[in-house]
Amino acid sequence: MSLISQNAVLKQQRDKKLDREIADGSPIAHADEEAEPVDELKLKKSKKRRRSDSDDSSNQKARKTEQEEMKRLEGFLFGNLYTPIEFDKETYGDDDGQEQVAKDAPLFFTDRSTSNEMVVYEEDLCAMGKEDLSEERKPVWVDDEEERTEVDIVRVNRLRKLRKEADEHVISGADYVARLRAQHAKLNPGTEWANIDRKYAHRCISEDASDDESGVTIARGFDVAEGGDILRSNDELVIKGSTTLLPGLLEYSRLVDANAEDPSNGPINSVQFHRNGQLLLTAGLDRRLRFFQVDGKRNPKIQSIFMEDCPVHKASFLPDGTEVIISGRRKFFYSFDLVKASVSKIGPLTGREEKSLEVFEVSPDSSTIAFIGNEGYILLVSSRTKELIGTLKMNGSARCLAFADGGQQLLSSGGDGHVYHWDLRTRKCIHKAVDEGSITGSAICASPDSSLFAAGSSSGIVNVYKREEFLGGKRKPLKSIENLTTMVDHLKFNPDARILAISSRMKKNGLKLVHIPSCNVFSNYPPPRFSVQYPRCLDFSPGGGFMTVGNAGGKVLLYKLHHYQNA
């Protein structure tokens, strides 16, 4: 044996003997002659080190036990957050190369058919997929204070409804949150189409789902049915509300006059809402353009502009909301910039000799302003440069205009009783037909989606047409409204084209509201006790909630239509 190995064996024997003596607590010297006496200080340090190691190990065990207990409690409360789901090894085996069955694959199906054919009901598969989805959904954020918080639900009266038992008093914070959520879901059930689980279930219904870009899935048996488009859109639920506007009686209430803070000294010729639904302009023969903030309670005035040399016959916002076009019986017109708060005078138009530009319409895309000129001419002016860009010529005199198809087409009517359709891209008349029963056309209006248009005549008759059918050659209107007996001056569809307002300034209370789906007049408007006097103009707010009527007495009446929720 070498010297190195002998020393190693002796050293190991001495270390073992020293450990036994330290464990016995005896500081006596070893009997072996080669062993050195143990220093007392070294023994103390060794004991201290062993004690600290023992304390550290016990602390680590305590922390580990505490962490395991916390994970167990959290897993009990919020699901298996830390322990992944494992398949049974006896079922699937321990070999890594063995394929495991997919989690969402059904192992069996139920045959519910009465015939000999095997039928797999997909609702079973969807139910399984739905359960898996609910298991995977985890809370985004967890508050640790909920478990340490206690809430007395008897102390506060409004919390007593959260009790599950009559003698229950104090509950934990987590139970309190869960019961509040359950109570909220009970009082506010929400909408079915917004339910995540319901969406997932619908996605499972059909294996041969639609592959088009819209991502729409049609139920089996309905893909070839006529009128299947109703299954492709939720616009009726989202845009037009959950209830349908019914004919007969209109639910409304009269509010404070829109211009109560500053009534006009002359007849009101124009009222219009800004695209934001809060700003309202009024203009009339007193040469003042006024702006009001409509809230239905005070309607404060924002600004007033005096047009020194032009009694206002019409004023209109550009649809983009940046300018106001103002005109009268003058060969020029004005433009008021809402951003810069400056007024610009435009005209006379180059090459034209019109003495009046009082009647005009602005295209929905804010690109074109169409003025009525002399001898059946329609003048097209660019809203950006304010210069004449083209003219259109009718056979008779032009009296009324209306844009359609987002500003690409223009409708006009006048002295010959015909309705003209103009294509503004080619500046040509694409269709011309007589308005049934009309001698002279006095008013025309198209619905916001351009599917309908209404034409009024000097005899007081208003015809409502489907525009596609009219262009296709059908002359018969959907409905002829004969409630007015004097010349129709103004026609206006509300934003969802369910109400058509018709008015005549030549007769007191000459204003009617028509329910478009049934083409019947609402019998309770105008109200019998509150006269609208002689109406001259009207407008609906962008959301349909407000309606304003300007009359010859200088007042702007304001009504709230309860069917619509937004202004």
Side-chain angles (χ1 to χ4, degrees):
M1 184 181 291
S2 64
L3 181 62
I4 298 176
S5 60
Q6 291 177 3
N7 292 336
V9 172
L10 293 175
K11 186 177 180 181
Q12 291 178 0
Q13 293 177 356
R14 288 198 301 269
D15 292 342
K16 290 181 180 180
K17 195 170 184 179
L18 178 63
D19 293 340
R20 286 197 300 270
E21 292 177 356
I22 292 174
D24 296 337
S26 174
I28 304 175
H30 301 293
D32 194 348
E33 296 178 356
E34 296 179 358
E36 299 178 355
V38 180
D39 188 21
E40 184 178 356
L41 181 60
K42 186 181 293 186
L43 287 175
K44 291 182 179 180
K45 288 183 179 180
S46 178
K47 288 183 179 181
K48 187 175 182 180
R49 184 170 59 255
R50 288 179 177 275
R51 191 182 299 110
S52 62
D53 293 341
S54 177
D55 294 341
D56 292 341
S57 61
S58 60
N59 292 336
Q60 290 179 359
K61 290 181 180 180
R63 284 196 298 268
K64 186 176 181 181
T65 305
E66 184 179 357
Q67 290 177 359
E68 292 177 354
E69 182 67 16
M70 290 177 64
K71 289 182 179 181
R72 187 184 68 81
L73 292 176
E74 290 179 356
F76 177 75
L77 292 173
F78 306 110
N80 296 327
L81 297 178
Y82 302 100
T83 57
I85 300 176
E86 297 180 355
F87 294 104
D88 189 4
K89 294 183 178 180
E90 296 179 359
T91 304
Y92 298 103
D94 296 333
D95 297 337
D96 295 337
Q98 185 178 0
E99 294 184 357
Q100 295 183 352
V101 179
K103 181 179 179 181
D104 54 350
L107 300 180
F108 61 90
F109 61 86
T110 305
D111 182 15
R112 301 181 184 176
S113 62
T114 56
S115 61
N116 294 329
E117 296 180 355
M118 233 22 154
V119 180
V120 179
Y121 278 79
E122 292 171 340
E123 59 185 12
D124 295 336
L125 307 183
C126 296
M128 297 173 62
K130 184 176 179 181
E131 292 176 358
D132 295 341
L133 179 65
S134 61
E135 290 179 0
E136 294 178 358
R137 293 171 60 188
K138 302 175 183 178
V140 179
W141 176 77
V142 178
D143 189 0
D144 297 335
E145 295 292 334
E146 290 182 359
E147 287 298 325
R148 296 191 290 269
T149 304
E150 293 184 350
V151 181
D152 190 351
I153 58 177
V154 180
R155 186 176 180 181
V156 183
N157 292 334
R158 60 188 178 88
L159 297 181
R160 293 184 177 181
K161 57 180 173 288
L162 302 179
R163 293 181 298 175
K164 293 184 178 180
E165 298 178 359
D167 56 348
E168 191 174 20
H169 293 275
V170 179
I171 60 177
S172 64
D175 291 341
Y176 176 69
V177 173
R179 296 185 188 185
L180 282 181
R181 291 182 184 276
Q183 183 70 12
H184 177 77
K186 179 181 178 181
L187 298 178
N188 304 282
T191 52
E192 295 182 354
W193 55 266
N195 191 343
I196 298 177
D197 295 336
R198 183 181 177 86
K199 287 182 180 179
Y200 184 83
H202 280 298
R203 288 199 300 267
C204 297
I205 288 179
S206 179
E207 293 179 356
D208 53 348
S210 176
D211 295 332
D212 56 2
E213 295 181 357
S214 62
V216 178
T217 301
I218 306 176
R220 293 179 180 175
F222 291 91
D223 50 351
V224 296
E226 184 177 358
D229 289 343
I230 192 173
L231 303 176
R232 291 180 170 270
S233 174
N234 60 356
D235 289 347
E236 293 288 337
L237 298 174
V238 179
I239 299 175
K240 298 180 181 179
S242 58
T243 59
T244 304
L245 181 64
L246 300 177
L249 300 178
L250 178 66
E251 295 183 4
Y252 69 94
S253 59
R254 182 176 176 181
L255 306 177
V256 178
D257 291 349
N259 65 341
E261 287 197 357
D262 189 9
S264 176
N265 295 327
I268 300 292
N269 285 334
S270 286
V271 292
Q272 189 181 12
F273 280 94
H274 191 269
R275 59 185 295 182
N276 61 15
Q278 298 179 358
L279 186 64
L280 175 72
L281 73 81
T282 66
L285 298 181
D286 63 348
R287 306 183 182 184
R288 289 189 179 274
L289 181 69
R290 298 176 175 87
F291 296 93
F292 298 90
Q293 182 181 355
V294 177
D295 57 8
K297 298 178 181 179
R298 291 182 56 249
N299 305 325
K301 186 181 77 169
I302 297 176
Q303 191 175 5
S304 177
I305 301 171
F306 181 70
M307 317 300 297
E308 186 175 357
D309 57 348
C310 183
V312 181
H313 279 255
K314 184 166 185 179
S316 177
F317 286 110
L318 289 184
D320 59 11
T322 58
E323 294 182 47
V324 179
I325 305 299
I326 308 160
S327 69
R329 288 183 179 175
R330 300 289 187 271
K331 61 178 65 176
F332 54 84
F333 63 95
Y334 287 95
S335 172
F336 176 67
D337 193 324
L338 293 175
V339 179
K340 299 179 182 179
S342 60
V343 180
S344 302
K345 184 177 180 180
I346 298 100
L349 299 177
T350 304
R352 303 300 305 178
E353 297 180 355
E354 276 78 12
K355 295 183 179 181
S356 175
L357 299 175
E358 60 184 284
V359 181
F360 69 90
E361 288 293 333
V362 183
S363 64
D365 58 359
S366 303
S367 62
T368 308
I369 308 171
F371 290 92
I372 290 182
N374 299 334
E375 300 175 353
Y377 277 95
I378 301 172
L379 314 178
L380 303 179
V381 177
S382 172
S383 61
R384 184 176 62 86
T385 62
K386 306 299 188 297
E387 294 181 356
L388 186 67
I389 58 175
T391 59
L392 307 174
K393 179 65 172 68
M394 293 173 55
N395 291 337
S397 61
R399 295 196 176 186
C400 51
L401 304 170
F403 281 93
D405 285 345
Q408 296 181 1
Q409 293 188 13
L410 179 68
L411 284 68
S412 64
S413 181
D416 60 352
H418 286 72
V419 176
Y420 293 75
H421 279 75
W422 305 89
D423 189 344
L424 296 183
R425 293 168 294 184
T426 60
R427 309 283 170 79
K428 293 182 179 180
C429 180
I430 60 175
H431 188 266
K432 172 189 173 185
V434 64
D435 180 19
E436 186 181 73
S438 173
I439 300 175
T440 302
S442 59
I444 194 169
C445 178
S447 62
D449 59 357
S450 302
S451 61
L452 303 172
F453 76 91
S457 64
S458 57
S459 61
I461 296 176
V462 177
N463 292 328
V464 181
Y465 296 91
K466 280 189 176 180
R467 203 167 68 90
E468 290 185 359
E469 295 180 357
F470 188 79
L471 293 174
K474 184 178 180 180
R475 303 290 185 267
K476 192 71 175 176
L478 286 176
K479 181 74 173 180
S480 294
I481 303 168
E482 304 176 357
N483 292 73
L484 298 180
T485 57
T486 55
M487 183 177 66
V488 180
D489 296 304
H490 195 80
L491 298 174
K492 184 71 176 181
F493 282 97
N494 77 325
D496 63 357
R498 291 183 176 270
I499 300 176
L500 171 65
I502 60 177
S503 67
S504 173
R505 66 179 64 182
M506 301 178 64
K507 185 176 181 180
K508 191 174 183 179
N509 288 340
L511 175 61
K512 299 294 181 181
L513 299 180
V514 184
H515 180 258
I516 285 301
S518 64
C519 290
N520 293 324
V521 175
F522 289 104
S523 59
N524 62 333
Y525 190 88
R529 293 187 299 170
F530 301 98
S531 174
V532 296
Q533 299 300 321
Y534 294 88
R536 298 177 68 90
C537 55
L538 61 91
D539 191 31
F540 295 94
S541 61
F546 288 135
M547 182 183 73
T548 56
V549 180
N551 59 26
K555 293 183 179 181
V556 179
L557 309 180
L558 181 63
Y559 297 92
K560 174 69 175 70
L561 306 182
H562 298 301
H563 177 76
Y564 301 94
Q565 303 299 323
N566 300 321

